[in-house]
Amino acid sequence: MRPAKDFFAPLAVGAPAPPREIPARPSRAIHFFDPGNEKMAAKVPAMVGTVDVLLGNLEDAVKAENKEKSRQGLVDIGKATDFGPTQFWTRINSLDSPWVLDDLTTLVPEIGHKLDVIMVPKVQGAEDIHYVDRLLAQLEAKAGLDRPILVHAILETARGVANIEEICAASPRMQGLSLGPADLAADRRMKTTRVGGGHPGYVVRQDPVKDDLGVPQYDAERTSYQQDLWHYTIARMVDACAMHGIYPYYGPFGDIKDTVACEDQFRNAFLLGCVGAWSLHPVQITIANKVFSPSVEDVAHARRVIAAMGDGTGAVMIDGKMEDDASVKQCQVMVALAEELAEIDPELKKAYDAIEVTA
Ligand SMILES: CC(=O)SCCNC(=O)CCNC(=O)[C@H](O)C(C)(C)COP(=O)(O)OP(=O)(O)OC[C@H]1O[C@@H](n2cnc3c(N)ncnc32)[C@H](O)[C@@H]1OP(=O)(O)O
Ligand SMILES: O=CC(=O)O
Ligand SMILES: [Mg+2]
């Protein structure tokens, strides 16, 4: 552990100072594309401004023989594109792969000035972040960058989950965490075969009804409810991120055609405290933008509570419900997010501005 006095010092002579605080930037959808896939890459310039984060993926889903092509494709896109309000991220190959060193030593000098965040997969513990942190500082210094590149870790190993707090605290560059349900399921030896989402076998069943003599009727019809496989891990991730002032994200939802279940999964994550989710296909951008933007009804209610609560202390009744210091704080979270999103999304701004705050 670095002593507190050294925590914010650059890790290489000439490297930019690490951030003291991670700014809250809209990142409802982190949209994945393969920069080596000509069809996908060609769509990227037109996606600027329609999605909060564009992420050039170099890791899983890119075939081994295409790794160099995708890396070069990312360099070309990074150089040629003006990203405007959209953040530009990449997911590098895993730290134990033969490609990651070339990923970092190529990307930082070539397009480091454009990259906002580097996503690191399969992070196991603080030592992985320390490695990336030092190497980035050296490369940034060599490239003469004046702004540090932030680091985002994917939570996709059992060890990573066990070490979650130390990962969040490992560097002032840490921007956030994403849940990686596919790799995590494999690493935990969960008996699933999907990329995120639920499972029809993971249920809680109603107790058997009893007959008039009190005998349980095991064969009688019973209600069962599918449960959320990811609840524990998302909640753990949200707490760790909140504690460290960084941002939690739900990861991939692989059933592209099941837009309804994708929306449910994203909304569960939003309600639990995540700020965004991955989009693997353009159709998922629309879902994420909708789900991770507070609804007009929620913003209207939140503004009403804030107005009624005056200095934020005490208790009031609104529509038969008690509101007090704790509920007004939740309302402030909602309104702060709405204001942040309104700055970059004219449609949302119009909708939020049209709200009339009633007594
Ligand atoms: C577990 C994990 O690690 S998840 C993260 C890694 N995985 C990924 O990054 C996957 C990214 N997404 C993809 O590779 C693709 O979307 C697939 C393979 C899932 C589906 O691709 P397709 O079968 O081509 O989908 P579909 O036919 O619906 O595509 C429609 C159009 O959208 C384009 N498109 C599809 N996905 C994307 C994308 N992510 N970004 C930009 N454009 C896309 C297609 O090129 C196609 O273009 P066209 O109309 O000019 O032909
Ligand atoms: O990389 C993501 C995952 O789910 O695995
Ligand atoms: Mg993965």
Side-chain angles (χ1 to χ4, degrees):
M1 265 292 264
R2 275 184 276 172
K5 72 177 179 50
D6 293 338
F7 190 65
F8 292 100
L11 288 178
V13 175
R20 295 252 157 193
E21 202 177 320
I22 302 298
R25 293 188 66 185
S27 41
R28 294 164 291 182
I30 303 173
H31 181 72
F32 276 57
F33 67 93
D34 175 355
N37 175 324
E38 284 87 4
K39 258 169 82 180
M40 274 194 210
K43 292 190 162 43
V44 167
M47 296 176 95
V48 168
T50 68
V51 61
D52 295 341
V53 179
L54 279 165
L55 178 146
N57 175 38
L58 304 181
E59 200 224 11
D60 293 356
V62 175
K63 283 185 86 61
E65 70 248 33
N66 290 338
K67 293 289 184 184
E68 277 83 15
K69 185 177 176 212
S70 290
R71 187 189 300 130
Q72 187 55 46
L74 187 64
V75 168
D76 296 343
I77 290 171
K79 285 185 171 168
T81 309
D82 175 358
F83 290 95
T86 297
Q87 295 183 61
F88 180 43
W89 294 23
T90 184
R91 177 169 81 169
I92 55 171
N93 284 288
S94 64
L95 298 181
D96 60 357
S97 76
W99 306 291
V100 66
L101 192 58
D102 287 343
D103 290 344
L104 287 167
T105 55
T106 305
L107 298 179
V108 177
E110 295 275 7
I111 53 169
H113 57 296
K114 291 271 188 85
L115 278 172
D116 293 294
V117 176
I118 290 182
M119 183 183 271
V120 185
K122 302 178 178 69
V123 170
Q124 301 273 20
E127 71 279 11
D128 288 341
I129 302 299
H130 293 159
Y131 169 80
V132 173
D133 199 8
R134 176 77 75 174
L135 185 53
L136 280 180
Q138 293 167 341
L139 293 168
E140 286 167 348
K142 196 169 170 211
L145 300 190
D146 54 13
R147 149 186 90 87
I149 300 170
L150 301 182
V151 170
H152 181 108
I154 313 181
L155 200 57
E156 51 184 350
T157 68
R159 208 172 110 201
V161 177
N163 291 332
I164 190 165
E165 274 90 9
E166 66 167 50
I167 292 171
C168 293
S171 161
R173 287 180 198 272
M174 281 300 299
Q175 179 275 343
L177 295 181
S178 283
L179 171 72
D183 271 301
L184 183 56
D187 195 63
R188 279 176 172 166
R189 298 179 197 186
M190 289 167 67
K191 307 303 178 290
T192 53
T193 55
R194 301 173 173 204
V195 175
H199 194 288
Y202 194 68
V203 299
V204 169
R205 192 174 300 276
Q206 180 192 11
D207 273 5
V209 288
K210 293 181 180 158
D211 68 9
D212 295 345
L213 300 172
V215 179
Q217 301 298 294
Y218 295 109
D219 294 334
E221 183 105 357
R222 291 190 250 172
T223 307
S224 72
Y225 291 99
Q226 192 172 324
Q227 307 293 301
D228 183 359
L229 280 172
W230 304 110
H231 178 83
Y232 154 76
T233 319
I234 294 176
R236 184 127 171 59
M237 181 176 72
V238 167
D239 282 344
C241 287
M243 171 175 157
H244 290 281
I246 68 174
Y247 302 100
Y249 300 77
Y250 177 77
F253 189 90
D255 194 344
I256 309 288
K257 297 269 179 247
D258 194 351
T259 51
V260 174
C262 176
E263 183 168 334
D264 291 339
Q265 183 77 70
F266 285 7
R267 186 165 291 104
N268 289 348
F270 173 67
L271 289 170
L272 277 178
C274 290
V275 297
W278 297 5
S279 147
L280 304 182
H281 187 280
V283 74
Q284 294 184 336
I285 297 174
T286 315
I287 302 172
N289 283 354
K290 172 179 164 196
V291 169
F292 289 96
S293 306
S295 69
V296 168
E297 293 72 32
D298 279 345
V299 176
H301 174 74
R303 286 196 189 151
R304 199 170 155 213
V305 173
I306 291 169
M309 281 292 293
D311 72 353
T313 64
V316 295
M317 281 285 270
I318 295 182
D319 298 339
K321 297 192 185 82
M322 191 279 300
E323 309 288 348
D324 72 358
D325 313 47
S327 60
V328 83
K329 284 182 199 147
Q330 294 171 57
C331 292
Q332 283 159 353
V333 168
M334 195 72 83
V335 168
L337 175 59
E339 283 170 2
E340 181 194 302
L341 294 174
E343 274 182 36
I344 54 119
D345 190 326
E347 286 296 310
L348 275 181
K349 181 169 165 40
K350 213 160 96 190
Y352 295 150
D353 282 352
I355 296 170
E356 278 179 40
V357 180
T358 51

